Amino acid sequence: MKIVLDTNVLMNGVQDEYSVGHRLIQAVLEGKIQAAISHRIKRENELITRRELHDQEYIDLLDQFYQKAEWIRPLRQLHAVKEDHEDDINFPRAYARGFSPIQAL
């Protein structure tokens, strides 16, 4: 399985060990599923991390996730996420490579 995780899913996943996001992150770290991430979403995560996360263990978990993820560069704008157009940036290339978006509701 190939996935793209929304920032909210990643942030919730590193803070809540019982969340679906955490299980997905662990599955990526264990090589059970493959994740894709763009530099833009990583920058967004880093901004939120600096503001919201104060536990080095959470920050380290995100760093491990980034090291395992496949880096992608969006090809074009796709309006697949009506509620948050910034999330649209990651989907075209990831979808073309067989990744599925997973987004917080």
Side-chain angles (χ1 to χ4, degrees):
M1 177 189 298
K2 298 178 176 185
I3 61 170
V4 176
L5 296 179
D6 177 78
T7 301
N8 296 328
V9 175
L10 282 174
M11 297 309 292
N12 185 46
V14 296
Q15 294 180 68
D16 180 359
E17 294 180 11
Y18 301 102
S19 70
V20 172
H22 186 79
R23 289 192 301 249
L24 289 169
I25 291 169
Q26 287 301 325
V28 169
L29 296 180
E30 294 167 7
K32 294 178 180 175
I33 58 177
Q34 204 176 2
I37 191 166
S38 71
H39 290 285
R40 182 175 177 167
I41 202 167
K42 183 174 187 265
R43 281 193 307 270
E44 178 182 328
N45 290 341
E46 288 173 338
L47 287 172
I48 293 170
T49 300
R50 281 192 287 259
R51 188 178 67 223
E52 303 292 330
L53 295 181
H54 305 290
D55 187 324
Q56 189 61 43
E57 185 178 342
Y58 296 150
I59 296 167
D60 292 345
L61 186 61
L62 274 179
D63 287 339
Q64 291 172 32
F65 174 83
Y66 298 143
Q67 290 174 12
K68 284 281 193 170
E70 178 180 331
W71 290 92
I72 59 170
R73 186 175 53 111
L75 296 174
R76 63 181 173 86
Q77 186 71 19
L78 174 68
H79 297 293
V81 185
K82 294 178 184 172
E83 299 82 21
D84 187 353
H85 288 292
E86 289 194 14
D87 288 338
D88 287 339
I89 255 179
N90 296 297
F91 296 136
R93 179 168 282 210
Y95 184 75
R97 290 186 179 179
F99 288 87
S100 301
I102 295 181
Q103 191 179 19
L105 300 176

